[in-house]
């Protein structure tokens, strides 16, 4: 079954009305979120002069992921389409509070709003994953998730520049209003979706018991568990790689920090490309083979960053962009296909926590490691760990000897 889950071509996904509307909402809300993500850090820095507070704006948005299973259970207790509409409209109403942030003593408002922003994002991600799994033909899921990756990464290439430009020219107000407008538009697109949802199951357990259910479902799903664990390990290594990027540019390549910009642009372009190719590749490869191949490419690219050549650095950035999303797309597709609809929200949120929290932890861990470990050792070691992860994953796939 794994080799068939990629479904049809990208055109088939876009011809599905529900999939097309959802992807449009992803593009719209992703643009606003990416613009706000960068502008929030610049805003905190300009008001306080503190690099630490600027960095904490990202953490404020990520922190709710730590309780992702608890937040994700909300998506299993109410209808998902109204929940998505309500979350988007709620954020559109909340964001204008940031217009009051005009001095350092009011920057706490920014952090409170960003925390709610992150919590809403966790709930929405769980609801979206569950809603799509029930509303979109399962044969389309692999290609759909690839296109969603393309949409997200495409917005990350464009929106931060727009957000930074707006902030530099007009301040934070226009960025806030732009983001609020994208939430309203996304709510409208979700409202246009024609989805027949079953009534939520009767509440038979506490919120905590429902949260534990997500972990239990993942552990009991042999087609899902290895992909989620491999994705978590890969994102751990991606965090170390991300923490080392400035050190690579400085110590290995001898460039100014501005060279990080082209590296991230090339990496983002690679992610856009693999998102477009994911559907066709998943038609021809089992999910675990597709994921393992991507992890292996990612691992080799990370190891190659220890070499002091610009062309190698750019090629390795493209390799990271091409390889890293593969296991994320495969894991999400497996969750949507294998987990029962009634518990899909909490299980998807649990999977996201297991996958993305290691990345946040590794960003901090990597910042310490690069101070004490030579990059010529650290990066090849991370690459070797990635290759081992790919080998373990592919050995468990059907027909792995072939």
């Amino acid at each position: 079954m794994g080799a068939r889950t990629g479904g049809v071509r990208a055109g088939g996904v876009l011809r599905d009305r529900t999939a097309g509307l959802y992807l449009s909402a992803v593009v719209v809300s992703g643009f606003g979120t990416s613009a706000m993500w960068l502008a929030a850090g610049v805003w905190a820095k300009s008001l306080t002069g503190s690099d630490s507070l600027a960095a904490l704006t990202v953490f404020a948005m990520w922190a709710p992921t730590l309780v992702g299973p608890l937040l994700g259970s909300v998506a299993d207790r109410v209808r998902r389409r109204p929940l998505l509409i309500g979350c988007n409209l709620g954020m559109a109403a909340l964001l204008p509070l940031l217009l009051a942030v005009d001095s350092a003593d009011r920057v706490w408002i920014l952090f409170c709003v960003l925390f709610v922003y992150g919590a809403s994002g966790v709930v929405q991600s769980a609801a979206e994953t569950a809603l799509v799994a029930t509303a979109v033909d399962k044969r389309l899921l692999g290609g759909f998730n690839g296109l969603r990756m393309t949409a997200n990464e495409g917005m990350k290439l464009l929106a931060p520049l727009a957000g930074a430009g707006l902030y530099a020219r007009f301040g934070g107000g226009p960025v806030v209003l732009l983001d609020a407008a994208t939430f309203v538009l996304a709510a409208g697109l979700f409202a246009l979706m024609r989805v027949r949802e079953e009534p939520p199951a009767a509440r038979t357990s506490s919120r905590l018991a429902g949260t534990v259910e997500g972990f239990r479902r993942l552990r009991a799903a042999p087609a899902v568990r290895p992909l989620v664990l491999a994705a978590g390990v890969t994102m751990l290594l991606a965090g170390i790689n991300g923490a080392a990027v400035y050190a690579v540019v400085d110590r290995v390549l001898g460039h100014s920090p501005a060279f990080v910009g082209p590296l991230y642009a090339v990496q983002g372009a690679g992610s856009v490309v693999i998102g477009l190719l994911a559907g066709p590749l998943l038609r021809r490869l089992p999910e675990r083979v597709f994921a393992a191949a991507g992890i292996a490419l990612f691992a080799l690219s990370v190891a190659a960053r220890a070499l002091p050549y610009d062309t190698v650095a750019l090629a390795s950035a493209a390799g990271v962009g091409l390889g890293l999303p593969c296991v994320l797309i495969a894991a999400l597709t497996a969750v949507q296909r294998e987990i029962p609809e009634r518990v899909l929200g909490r299980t998807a949120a649990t999977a996201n926590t297991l996958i993305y929290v290691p990345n946040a932890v590794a960003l901090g861990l990597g910042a310490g490691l690069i101070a004490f470990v030579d990059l010529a050792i650290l990066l090849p070691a991370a690459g070797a760990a990635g290759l081992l992860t790919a080998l373990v994953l592919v050995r468990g796939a059907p027909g792995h000897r072939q």
Side-chain angles (χ1 to χ4, degrees), residues 1 6 24 34 55 59 64 68 92 102 106 133 167 188 193 202 221 224 241 265 283 288 302 332 336-337 354 380:
M1 182 177 182
S24 299
S34 296
F59 177 76
D102 56 3
R106 291 187 175 182
Y167 185 89
M193 292 173 63
V224 179
N241 171 66
R283 292 204 311 275
R288 287 171 69 164
V302 170
L332 176 59
Q336 290 173 315
R337 190 188 65 247
L354 293 174

Side-chain angles (χ1 to χ4, degrees), residues 126-187:
E128 290 168 3
T129 299
L131 185 65
V132 166
T134 57
V136 175
D137 190 328
K138 291 191 181 296
R139 294 173 300 169
L140 300 175
L141 287 176
F144 174 86
N145 289 324
L147 288 177
R148 178 160 69 171
M149 179 69 69
T150 293
N152 280 326
E153 294 302 321
M155 290 305 98
K156 289 178 184 177
L157 289 176
L158 301 175
L161 295 177
L166 274 176
Y167 185 89
R169 182 68 178 85
F170 302 106
V175 182
V176 169
L177 296 177
L178 170 66
D179 198 12
T182 62
F183 275 117
V184 172
L185 186 53

Side-chain angles (χ1 to χ4, degrees), residues 4 21 32 38 63 76 101-102 132 142 159 165 240 253 276 284 309 321 325 343:
R4 301 290 301 174
L21 284 170
L38 181 61
D76 292 331
V101 181
D102 56 3
V132 166
I240 294 174
L253 302 177
L276 295 172
R284 294 167 173 80
Y309 306 105
V343 294

